[in-house]
């Protein structure tokens, strides 16, 4: 009879621990997805900014050697990521492909001018930085005109800042909720062990002696939960990239590794701290309070 009771209690304890691990894993999965959204939002923001084009219209009388030299000078500028030189013949071919007919034969001449498309680094893709760069570029004698859409840049920066604030606010709220959920889950698991904790204390075990194995087991559970969350997260990412191949532009293994490493750290830290508080609570309770 006694063996049956011990076996039954052991099964219940294992069930509680398994459900605790999976509950924590699901919470960590939410945190991991949010972390990746934050990282990808930053990368997507940079991608959008670095694809804003500054068009330099080259004077028709400029020699190609002078244009290529000017392009080299632009590439050396700290604010510029890269440049693309499109001469008038190439521009005509591109427009012909877009229109589906040869407009040069129809007009009898090529009215297009050579251009240099300038792509800026993300940190310089704002109206203040572009205005300063535009003023510098316009001084060159081979430049006829510098064109960029200031309203588009304002809109991009404004929307990115708004979205970033919303995501950060949501991240803070979700982090608080996650900590609360993990804490409550662990408190319920420790609740089932309250009589064992008090029994150990009554036979003379010190508080630290009782607390230590619970914290170590909780840390192990946090580690296992983190690995489960990471495996699910990798599966989701693999499927998402398979369905949306363009996501490869957002891939950053360093930042991705930081997110996954943070999940492990958060899983271990929160479970260990929550367990320490939960065990301490029952250590400080009177025996008759255990039945309440």
């Amino acid at each position: 009879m006694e063996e049956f009771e011990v076996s039954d209690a052991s099964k219940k304890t294992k069930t509680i621990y398994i459900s605790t691990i999976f509950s924590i894993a699901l919470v960590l999965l939410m945190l991991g997805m949010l972390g990746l959204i934050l990282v990808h939002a930053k990368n997507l923001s940079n991608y959008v900014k670095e694809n804003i084009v500054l068009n330099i219209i080259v004077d028709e009388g400029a020699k190609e050697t002078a244009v290529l030299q000017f392009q080299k000078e632009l590439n050396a500028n700290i604010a510029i990521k890269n440049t693309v030189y499109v001469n008038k013949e190439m521009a005509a071919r591109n427009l012909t492909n877009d229109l589906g007919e040869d407009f040069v034969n129809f007009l009898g001449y090529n009215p297009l001018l050579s251009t240099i498309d300038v792509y800026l680094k993300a940190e310089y893709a704002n109206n203040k930085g572009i205005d300063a760069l535009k003023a510098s570029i316009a001084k060159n004698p081979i430049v006829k005109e510098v064109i960029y859409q200031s309203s588009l840049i304002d809109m991009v920066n404004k929307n990115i800042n708004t979205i970033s604030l919303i995501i950060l606010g949501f991240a803070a709220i979700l982090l608080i909720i996650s900590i609360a959920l993990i804490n409550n889950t662990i408190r319920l698991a420790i609740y089932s062990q309250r009589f064992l904790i008090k029994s150990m204390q009554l036979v003379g075990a010190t508080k630290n002696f009782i607390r230590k194995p619970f914290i170590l087991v909780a840390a192990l559970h946090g580690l296992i939960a983190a690995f489960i969350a990471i495996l699910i997260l990798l599966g989701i990412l693999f499927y998402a990239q398979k369905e949306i191949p363009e996501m490869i532009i957002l891939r950053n293994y360093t930042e991705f590794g930081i997110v996954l490493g943070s999940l492990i750290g958060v899983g271990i830290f929160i479970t260990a701290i929550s367990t320490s508080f939960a065990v301490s609570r029952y250590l400080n309770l009177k025996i008759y309070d255990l039945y309440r």
Side-chain angles (χ1 to χ4, degrees):
M1 182 68 178
E2 186 178 346
E3 288 181 4
F4 174 77
E5 289 178 353
V6 171
S7 175
D8 190 49
S10 176
K11 286 180 180 178
K12 286 182 178 178
T13 302
K14 286 180 181 178
T15 302
I16 290 170
Y17 281 144
I18 290 171
S19 63
T20 300
I21 288 171
F22 277 98
S23 297
I24 294 169
L26 291 174
V27 175
L28 291 176
L29 176 62
M30 287 192 299
L31 285 176
M33 291 179 70
L34 183 61
L36 289 177
I37 288 171
L38 287 171
V39 170
H40 285 174
K42 180 177 178 294
N43 292 342
L44 183 60
S45 165
N46 290 342
Y47 176 78
V48 171
K49 288 180 179 180
E50 289 178 353
N51 276 276
I52 294 174
V53 184
L54 187 69
N55 300 114
I56 301 174
I57 310 299
V58 178
D59 189 89
E60 193 169 6
K63 294 182 179 179
E64 188 157 351
T65 53
V67 176
L68 293 175
Q69 179 59 38
F70 180 52
Q71 185 184 15
K72 286 183 180 179
E73 293 173 6
L74 290 173
N75 286 329
N77 192 304
I78 192 173
I80 295 173
K81 183 180 180 183
N82 68 291
T83 60
V84 178
Y85 172 50
V86 181
N87 60 34
K88 59 188 304 181
E89 289 77 18
M90 190 183 299
R93 284 198 301 272
N94 292 339
L95 187 57
T96 297
N97 291 333
D98 291 338
L99 295 175
E101 56 181 283
D102 192 348
F103 70 96
V104 175
N105 287 337
F106 176 75
L107 295 175
Y109 70 101
N110 182 2
L112 302 179
L113 296 174
S114 300
T115 62
I116 299 176
D117 296 335
V118 176
Y119 296 88
L120 302 176
K121 293 178 181 176
E123 57 267 32
Y124 295 96
N126 53 71
N127 282 330
K128 184 179 178 181
I130 293 175
D131 285 338
L133 182 63
K134 179 181 176 182
S136 173
I137 291 172
K139 294 177 182 178
N140 195 296
I142 70 169
V143 175
K144 182 177 182 179
E145 188 180 1
V146 182
I147 301 171
Y148 79 97
Q149 295 179 322
S150 59
S151 58
L152 173 63
I153 293 167
D154 273 337
M155 184 181 68
V156 167
N157 286 310
K158 185 178 179 180
N159 289 340
I160 286 172
N161 290 335
T162 303
I163 292 169
S164 298
L165 288 174
I166 291 171
I167 291 176
L168 285 173
F170 183 70
I173 293 170
L174 184 58
L175 181 61
I176 293 169
I177 293 172
S178 300
I179 292 172
L181 286 173
I182 292 175
N183 183 57
N184 287 336
T185 302
I186 289 173
R187 285 181 65 184
L188 287 172
I190 297 298
Y191 176 78
S192 66
Q193 303 290 317
R194 65 193 187 283
F195 292 111
L196 175 62
I197 293 170
K198 185 54 68 175
S199 297
M200 293 172 68
Q201 191 176 20
L202 289 173
V203 297
T206 63
K207 290 183 178 181
N208 286 335
F209 179 83
I210 297 170
R211 194 184 291 114
K212 185 177 178 180
F214 281 98
I215 292 174
L216 291 176
V217 170
L220 178 61
H221 289 168
L223 182 63
I224 295 170
F227 278 118
I228 292 172
I230 288 170
L231 287 174
I232 297 172
L233 200 57
L234 289 173
I236 292 171
L237 283 176
F238 177 78
Y239 177 77
Q241 190 168 305
K242 187 178 178 182
E243 293 297 315
I244 312 172
E246 293 81 7
M247 282 184 65
I248 196 169
I249 63 170
L250 303 176
R251 185 185 293 172
N252 187 312
Y253 289 112
T254 302
E255 293 176 344
F256 186 69
I258 290 172
V259 171
L260 298 187
S262 298
L263 277 186
I264 295 173
V266 169
I268 294 173
F269 179 76
I270 295 178
T271 51
I273 292 296
S274 298
T275 300
S276 177
F277 284 132
V279 172
S280 296
R281 177 175 179 269
Y282 291 111
L283 286 172
N284 295 325
L285 281 179
K286 301 296 182 182
I287 294 177
Y288 56 82
D289 289 329
L290 294 176
Y291 296 91
R292 295 183 179 181

